[in-house]
Amino acid sequence: MAWFLLRHTGLGLALPLIQAFQCIAIRVLCKLCERTCGLLDSVLHVVLPRHRPLGLARRRMNPPVYRPLVHLSAMEERHIILTYRLDRATIHELCAQLEPDLMSHIRQPTGIPPLVQVLSVLHFLASGSFQTTVAISSGMSQPIFSKVLSRVLSALMKYMRSYIIFPEVGELATVKGDFYALGHIPNIIGAIDGTHVALVPPKESEQVYRNRKSYHSMNVQVVCLADQYISHVNAKFPGSVHDAYVMRNSSIPYVMEQLQRHRVWLIGDSGYPNLSWLLTPVRNPRTRAEERYNEAHGRTRRIIERTFGVPFLQEDGPDGGVVAAVEPVESEEEEDDGDDTDNRDTVIQQYL
């Protein structure tokens, strides 16, 4: 056909005619294929009721199946604590509570299992590493890990107020008894202090995050109970802010003023002012009673330092165990202006 057209019409007219014939031929073949597939579908549908149609539609690619690189069951308990700062039982308990929130965002079996999501975020928070590094060790890409991080943190925030909460009025007697056993100071319901959590600061406000130890951080205020149960956290202020300022601009003053009719106190170091609801050490003790008070104060307040020491672990302890790797940051002393020492004097006179 092509040779005939070239011979009788010339090259200029032959090429368009040849292309037209090709298009017609392709269309005819497509129609024949569609009819053939339709006929085969009809026959197979009768013979094989579950047969999938043979249509010419583009085949869908199967999404990749996630294969976890982290297997908690294969890790020793000591390694789990060093990597995630939680033991095996606590991780499983946390995962069980967060699972409904994490499962609603994934499609099984191609999605990332809730346990892997929780482990990857715990590793990120415990190590202070980069997202890319944690993502690779968890078997996912950095963009995927970024979404997982946001998802798990949102789920944790949802349940935070169920766990980090001040003691109820009916629990005050038990809490005071637990603190009294530490240092024999009555009516204590919490130990307060700040700890600096290192971070990479925003460039536009880098100096605001530089603390007195010359590194960048957030000054995180924590109140704990005698059993190291955390009852309050304030993580809103950068490292350059003083502990006393963080305390004054938190909910602590309001909460403690509401509890004053029960005559209860917090205990803090010399970085805080001595208030009607906050006991601090005597800076220059002059009597044996004041010295005994400072000793009892130190024994009681040490619980907050031990609480801070729980997340900071190292692998080499003197007995081969897990021990604290850093010491809590010491607070700067607060000025005497505004101190209310009546409650402290009463404790010294009546109990020490």
Side-chain angles (χ1 to χ4, degrees):
M1 176 63 73
W3 176 83
F4 176 81
L5 290 173
L6 286 171
R7 182 174 180 179
H8 291 84
T9 62
L11 182 61
L13 183 60
L15 289 178
L17 291 174
I18 292 172
Q19 291 175 352
F21 278 119
Q22 288 176 340
C23 290
I24 294 171
I26 291 173
R27 290 180 180 178
V28 170
L29 289 174
C30 287
K31 289 291 184 181
L32 289 175
C33 288
E34 289 180 1
R35 291 180 180 179
T36 303
C37 288
L39 179 61
L40 288 174
D41 282 339
S42 299
V43 174
L44 292 174
H45 183 70
V46 175
V47 179
L48 301 173
R50 297 183 180 180
H51 162 69
R52 297 178 62 183
L54 296 173
L56 298 179
R58 183 180 299 175
R59 294 179 59 189
R60 294 183 179 180
M61 297 296 294
N62 292 327
V65 177
Y66 177 81
R67 293 179 174 83
L69 298 182
V70 179
H71 299 280
L72 198 63
S73 59
M75 299 175 65
E76 296 182 356
E77 187 72 15
R78 186 164 172 269
H79 188 203
I80 291 174
I81 296 175
L82 288 169
T83 305
Y84 304 111
R85 300 301 189 260
L86 296 175
D87 57 38
R88 190 191 311 270
T90 304
I91 291 175
H92 282 298
E93 182 180 351
L94 177 63
C95 188
Q97 178 152 30
L98 301 184
E99 185 172 0
D101 298 274
L102 303 182
M103 285 289 292
S104 62
H105 296 274
I106 64 175
R107 293 185 303 169
Q108 294 291 352
T110 58
I112 301 175
L115 178 60
V116 177
Q117 295 184 58
V118 171
L119 290 177
S120 63
V121 172
L122 289 178
H123 185 197
F124 176 74
L125 297 176
S127 65
S129 184
F130 294 99
Q131 288 191 20
T132 302
T133 304
V134 175
I136 293 174
S137 65
S138 302
M140 63 185 80
S141 65
Q142 185 277 326
I144 293 297
F145 174 73
S146 179
K147 295 179 180 179
V148 168
L149 177 62
S150 176
R151 184 182 307 156
V152 174
L153 290 179
S154 296
L156 288 171
M157 292 294 291
K158 176 180 176 181
Y159 297 102
M160 180 186 70
R161 295 189 181 278
S162 299
Y163 294 96
I164 302 177
I165 186 171
F166 246 65
E168 299 290 340
V169 172
E171 302 171 324
L172 293 181
T174 301
V175 174
K176 289 189 291 185
D178 292 341
F179 269 106
Y180 186 80
L182 297 179
H184 291 178
I185 297 180
N187 301 332
I188 303 296
I189 64 167
I192 185 172
D193 202 357
T195 185
H196 288 272
V197 178
L199 51 70
V200 178
K203 291 183 179 180
E204 61 274 10
S205 55
E206 177 264 342
Q207 288 300 324
V208 178
Y209 291 86
R210 187 180 297 277
N211 60 37
R212 67 189 184 92
K213 295 291 186 178
S214 298
Y215 67 90
H216 302 100
S217 66
M218 294 292 292
N219 190 354
V220 180
Q221 175 183 279
V222 175
V223 177
C224 76
L225 305 183
D227 58 359
Q228 297 182 295
Y229 184 99
I230 295 176
S231 59
H232 167 85
V233 173
N234 186 335
K236 297 180 180 179
F237 294 92
S240 63
V241 177
H242 195 278
D243 286 354
Y245 181 88
V246 176
M247 182 269 293
R248 290 191 187 101
N249 290 273
S250 69
S251 61
I252 288 297
Y254 174 80
V255 172
M256 291 303 298
E257 287 169 5
Q258 297 300 307
L259 293 174
Q260 278 308 284
R261 68 180 184 274
H262 301 285
R263 200 186 177 206
V264 292
W265 301 313
L266 295 182
I267 191 166
D269 63 16
S270 57
Y272 296 96
N274 199 89
L275 303 173
S276 61
W277 45 264
L278 177 57
L279 293 177
T280 60
V282 176
R283 295 195 183 125
N284 299 300
R286 299 175 181 177
T287 66
R288 181 56 188 144
E290 289 180 345
E291 292 176 353
R292 287 196 297 269
Y293 166 80
N294 278 358
E295 293 170 1
H297 186 283
R299 290 195 301 271
T300 306
R301 199 193 66 83
R302 202 167 295 132
I303 190 64
I304 187 68
E305 297 178 356
R306 291 202 294 269
T307 301
F308 287 147
V310 170
F312 300 101
L313 307 174
Q314 68 181 12
E315 193 165 354
D316 300 323
D319 57 354
V322 177
V323 297
V326 298
E327 293 295 329
V329 178
E330 295 181 359
S331 300
E332 296 177 280
E333 290 194 356
E334 175 72 356
E335 297 295 331
D336 288 335
D337 295 343
D339 275 10
D340 180 358
T341 60
D342 290 345
N343 60 335
R344 186 173 64 191
D345 293 341
T346 300
V347 171
I348 295 173
Q349 294 171 7
Q350 293 184 2
Y351 301 98
L352 298 166

